[in-house]
Amino acid sequence: MKRRSVLSRDEYIEGILRCDRRILSRAITLIESSRAADRELAEEIVEACLPHAERSIRIGITGVPGAGKSTLIEALGQYVIGEYGQSVAVLAVDPSSQVTGGSILGDKTRMVSLAACEQAFIRPSPSRGSYGGVAQHTREAMLLCEAAGYGNVFVETVGVGQSETAVHDMVDFFLLVMLSGAGDELQGMKRGVMELADLIAVNKADGENVACAERTRADAETALHFFPAPPSGWTPRAVACSAITGRGIPALWNAVREFADLAQGNGSFRQNRREQRRRWLRDALEHGLGQLFRSHPMVRQQVAAFESEVLEGRTTPFCAARSLLELYAGASRQGM
Amino acid sequence: MKRRSVLSRDEYIEGILRCDRRILSRAITLIESSRAADRELAEEIVEACLPHAERSIRIGITGVPGAGKSTLIEALGQYVIGEYGQSVAVLAVDPSSQVTGGSILGDKTRMVSLAACEQAFIRPSPSRGSYGGVAQHTREAMLLCEAAGYGNVFVETVGVGQSETAVHDMVDFFLLVMLSGAGDELQGMKRGVMELADLIAVNKADGENVACAERTRADAETALHFFPAPPSGWTPRAVACSAITGRGIPALWNAVREFADLAQGNGSFRQNRREQRRRWLRDALEHGLGQLFRSHPMVRQQVAAFESEVLEGRTTPFCAARSLLELYAGASRQGM
């Protein structure tokens, strides 16, 4: 097996800026690496790309498994490329891959026609690692895609753990993909997510399903009107769509464009990104502090015992936390 | 001015267990104190009370200012005491008091008739301090109220910052208080909160407002049906009510009792509390680690500069976080 050549920092940066998809992909692999040297190089690359980033619209996409997120992204991506001549990058936040070993984008064949487009970049590899790590990696990958010139960045989430709110916190526009009917398929959805949606796409509105999907769309629109408005001043709406027939795809993209005009016009777009940067810093600090803590030998030895005492109700979470923190701070002070 | 006598640890515990409201109140003041010795004593008291706690139903109450949360709690509390002979404790999560100096429960006159009941305990003092601290203090105060024998603990939130989700994470049942009409008064509500509700109370359904409130109730019920079901298997509902006429108060309390029967019967009640304990531990650790970090002299000196670089887009949040964490870890190792 031939080893890939080692790229220098400048080769990475230069490759990303001229939108070499192979190099972009390798840079994202660096971001996801657990090796310290890779991480350090990755951060330098992201830092150097920052002045060229942030010039896209970031669209988060969520929905329960089976809602047809991938096929919808594929149809939407092809529409945007074909109709507007814009480029599209697709990333995924999938903390579940850690457990299942699978990935929502792992199966490359799922976006085969979009992947064939020159103007598309699809990141098929799963983001492994802890939840906080995964979210951070996606944020960094997003910046690299933007520096490479992708004007539209789709971030897909599989809806596990806190991934919906994490994705909502890293995008400009949040799209919820649903199926018709408001029954069983809602079981897997987490509470609170629907209210975050800027747009609800009722998917698979084709064939015999059209009437049912239209009813669900109307119900969704009613529910949306009952929600508090987003800070952008945008009025969330619902669209029935089909990746097969193309129904609703233009309306869907139109909503994204309308939203961008509104939010860029009233300053909320910029304000939201500023707030997000503040939160990313806070999250990165929290994640790093947690890692320092959990990797401490004394903590690793004791944390499970304390946790089980807490779960069984034999001690309070507050006492357990204080004891652990005292152990940690004491040992750190002694350079242990 | 006569100084209050100093109580011993055992006097506190014994006083709480025989439901001496004055001592309970002083113990909560200890919890909220920023003095290390007070905090330590408070934790010992909470720890000793733990075996006597957890025997209540915890009800979180949220809603925008002006929705009439306090008067509704007062009406509900009096109903529960009068009709069922049960006791009621009322606490508040109010991180805003830090800024405004005010408090949602600071004005004692707001619950004057409930406060006059033997079977009621109302904590009027504001919980000051950082958000994480406030949430933790309320959790501890809740355990003390339970040890004192209060079978129903109401936790009111003013709806600032993350307080709704914090309260949702510390209670068994989550009640959202709204006004009729779905327009302006929703402006102040945060997105995602409505979907967390186990019950929506459309308040002030009295006089000329009855018809409008009933319409809003019906709309709310429609929206609720469109939401994913809570893990308890409970079907959230909407009730129109009035603290003045008493309309809907029995229906509201009936819903709480039905919920408790269901959730205790299917084990989700216990499961939820177990999960909450796990989260409380995680939150307390995160909060403590954050405090250790932010109180470090080197961090205090540098954090503002890094944050402004991040906000202006001159560096990535990831690089800033890593630099700060390296400074911190390095200085800690050297015992600085």
Side-chain angles (χ1 to χ4, degrees), chain A residues 193-233:
Chain A
V193 170
M194 208 176 282
E195 265 172 278
L196 298 177
D198 293 302
L199 186 76
I200 293 181
V202 182
N203 204 10
K204 304 191 183 175
D206 40 45
E208 292 178 356
N209 211 20
V210 170
C212 184
E214 276 297 340
R215 270 198 309 280
T216 304
R217 191 206 65 77
D219 287 351
E221 193 118 331
T222 308
L224 284 172
H225 283 144
F226 203 74
F227 292 162
S232 56

Side-chain angles (χ1 to χ4, degrees), chain A residues 21-314:
Chain A
R21 289 187 288 183
R22 206 178 40 89
I23 291 181
L24 173 59
S25 192
R26 284 180 63 180
I28 297 178
T29 304
L30 281 185
I31 288 175
E32 292 169 352
S33 167
S34 49
R35 285 184 55 214
D38 289 347
R39 280 290 315 154
E40 201 159 324
L41 179 56
E43 269 179 32
E44 283 178 33
I45 295 166
V46 176
E47 189 81 0
C49 285
L50 186 62
H52 310 276
E54 302 240 346
R55 288 171 199 160
S56 75
I57 178 148
R58 301 167 183 167
I59 299 157
I61 296 169
T62 192
V64 295
K69 293 184 292 297
S70 297
T71 43
L72 186 64
I73 291 172
E74 185 160 62
L76 200 56
Q78 288 182 289
Y79 175 77
V80 171
I81 291 168
E83 203 69 25
Y84 293 95
Q86 295 178 2
S87 59
V88 167
V90 183
L91 302 170
V93 171
D94 182 9
S96 70
S97 58
Q98 190 187 9
V99 180
T100 64
S103 164
I104 46 176
L105 291 177
D107 182 2
K108 274 195 187 188
T109 57
R110 283 168 75 202
M111 292 198 195
V112 67
S113 33
L114 183 58
C117 294
E118 265 293 321
Q119 299 100 315
F121 172 76
I122 296 174
R123 176 66 184 179
S125 76
S127 303
R128 289 174 188 277
S130 72
Y131 156 71
V134 165
Q136 175 166 335
H137 297 164
T138 310
R139 288 166 185 157
E140 292 176 296
M142 218 162 59
L143 295 176
L144 295 192
C145 291
E146 291 174 342
Y150 290 98
N152 303 281
V153 180
F154 293 97
V155 184
E156 182 183 359
T157 165
V158 74
V160 168
Q162 300 296 312
S163 63
E164 293 100 335
T165 35
V167 168
H168 180 260
D169 269 6
M170 67 176 83
V171 298
D172 308 306
F173 188 88
F174 195 57
L175 169 65
L176 172 65
V177 184
M178 287 184 61
L179 292 177
S180 50
D184 290 346
E185 88 279 1
L186 284 178
Q187 295 295 333
M189 201 182 288
K190 274 202 299 300
R191 296 166 91 190
V193 170
M194 208 176 282
E195 265 172 278
L196 298 177
D198 293 302
L199 186 76
I200 293 181
V202 182
N203 204 10
K204 304 191 183 175
D206 40 45
E208 292 178 356
N209 211 20
V210 170
C212 184
E214 276 297 340
R215 270 198 309 280
T216 304
R217 191 206 65 77
D219 287 351
E221 193 118 331
T222 308
L224 284 172
H225 283 144
F226 203 74
F227 292 162
S232 56
W234 170 251
T235 307
R237 61 180 79 157
V239 169
C241 63
S242 163
I244 296 172
T245 65
R247 180 198 185 99
I249 302 293
L252 207 162
W253 193 247
N254 215 37
V256 174
R257 287 163 54 92
E258 264 185 59
F259 166 84
D261 283 347
L262 174 84
Q264 274 156 353
N266 67 19
S268 63
F269 193 93
R270 210 168 148 260
Q271 181 59 28
N272 183 46
R273 288 214 171 173
R274 209 179 135 91
E275 277 309 309
Q276 287 181 344
R277 273 184 227 127
R278 191 197 302 276
R279 241 172 296 159
W280 293 6
L281 174 60
R282 192 200 58 197
D283 288 355
L285 285 172
E286 247 174 35
H287 180 64
L289 289 171
Q291 275 188 322
L292 280 175
F293 175 73
R294 281 188 307 275
S295 64
H296 194 285
M298 201 170 275
V299 172
R300 283 167 67 171
Q301 216 170 52
Q302 307 262 8
V303 74
F306 277 102
E307 192 178 49
S308 100
E309 290 289 295
V310 167
L311 289 182
E312 298 311 322
R314 284 193 293 266

Side-chain angles (χ1 to χ4, degrees), chain B residues 146-227:
Chain B
E146 291 174 341
Y150 291 98
N152 303 281
V153 180
F154 294 97
V155 184
E156 182 184 359
T157 166
V158 75
V160 168
Q162 300 296 313
S163 64
E164 293 100 334
T165 35
V167 169
H168 180 261
D169 268 7
M170 67 175 82
V171 299
D172 308 306
F173 188 88
F174 196 58
L175 169 65
L176 172 64
V177 184
M178 288 183 62
L179 293 176
S180 49
D184 290 345
E185 87 280 0
L186 283 179
Q187 295 296 333
M189 201 182 288
K190 274 202 299 299
R191 296 168 91 191
V193 171
M194 208 177 281
E195 265 172 277
L196 299 176
D198 292 302
L199 186 77
I200 291 181
V202 182
N203 204 10
K204 305 191 184 174
D206 39 47
E208 291 177 356
N209 211 19
V210 170
C212 184
E214 276 297 339
R215 270 199 307 280
T216 303
R217 191 207 65 77
D219 287 350
E221 193 118 332
T222 307
L224 284 171
H225 283 144
F226 203 73
F227 291 161

